[in-house]
Amino acid sequence: MFIEKIDVFCTSPGRTFVTVRITTSDGVVGYGDSTLNGREQAVATYLRDHLVPMLIGHEDGAIESCWQLLYRGVYWRRGAITMAAIAGIDMALWDIKAKRANIPLYQLLGGRSRTGCLAYGHAFGKDIPNLVEHAHGLLEQGFKAVRLQAGIPGHDSNYGVPLPNQVDQGNLPVTEYWDTPSYLRFIPEVFSAARSELGEEVHLLHDSHHRLRPIEAARLAQDLEPYRLFWLEDCVPAENQEVYRLIRSKTVTPLAVGEVFNTVWDAQTLVTEQLIDYLRMSITHGGGITAMRKIFDFASIYQVRSGIHGPEDVSPIGMAAAIHLDTALHNFGIQEYSGYQSLSMDVFTPDFTFESGMLFPGEAPGLGVSYDEELANAYPYERSYLPINRLRDGSVHDW
Ligand code: CS2
Ligand code: MG
């Protein structure tokens, strides 16, 4: 059997998603996620104009061969656009293969390695009391791990703390301002208060979102050691993997990085030198299931665990794929799960579940997702941007 038709949808049911639907010559349908926040049309166009024509007639069961065709058969390789496009095709082909075998995807990836997958939610607050209150709410929902992001005194905004009436300049980037010294002074206070309010058991995580320099990151990681974080994430931009050598040498706070990575080469030094503890690459941005199962197996040799990226801008399809892989991987660490708007869930109807702080894949054959084309088409694509971050002197900084 072979690929007969590929549809690429770029719609905004709740937020913008890029969805791939493959239909085979014998009528089996598979779904994949190619969402890349703020660059959705670039991926959709790459798929429609460049990849889809190459794939019609390709044997749908030849997944590895298809991946190699799309990675090395197009000469220009790697990059966020390319690997998100490959990911959507790859996920859909794995969905089809598991449907043909009439088993949930995790069974095809080695079977169940754990009863459930530890998840973490996003707690945020304009100040410490507000943050702790939100974190308590997540604990009441059953989470055993929460990411804490707080407003910083003197900052108009901070990463991970949505503003109630964020100035929306239509569909152009919003500018935010950042001050590292006040951030470095305040975050230890946040985690001191959180640890005493939330107790010793709960896993606490924090995301510096690429904003520090190596010595600043080392300082923060050291200052947070008394609060025993599960991880400190994206403390510095990671294009230069070697800068993690300094940070690693100064702290025992676990380090996580990788949500912006899209191939194993982005993480090779970090993994082989054990400069990190968790690799954050997502199936949607890392080239699909074919690529990510290999990358996490490579990471397992160095005792680096998975921490797959799972915000709202990985679609429920990408989340379902992550949970299936999480369930089978030996070196699973934790799964990010910030949840979705009900409209998004109505479009994709994923069968994964969240219970007592853990995520569970469904037992339906394949990924356990669908795509309500009619409902989604009622929410046409709307251009949107991620914010731009500047220092107070106006220079552009990492967002
Ligand atoms: C964040 C992401 O979840 C995280 O760890 O870094 O939500 C990130 O801000 C978004 O994926 C950007 O689109
Ligand atoms: Mg992050």
Side-chain angles (χ1 to χ4, degrees), residues 344-389:
S344 306
M345 295 296 267
D346 290 346
V347 165
F348 294 98
T349 63
D351 69 348
F352 58 75
T353 53
F354 174 81
E355 176 72 35
S356 304
M358 296 206 283
L359 286 160
F360 303 86
E363 290 299 319
L367 282 170
V369 296
S370 64
Y371 181 74
D372 184 331
E373 182 179 350
E374 186 182 349
L375 178 56
N377 284 345
Y379 300 88
Y381 165 73
E382 292 175 14
R383 189 177 70 202
S384 63
Y385 288 85
L386 286 165
I388 288 169
N389 199 20

Side-chain angles (χ1 to χ4, degrees), residues 207 209 233-234 259 280:
D207 190 347
H209 222 256
E233 175 186 351
D234 278 337
E259 69 183 48
R280 296 269 290 133

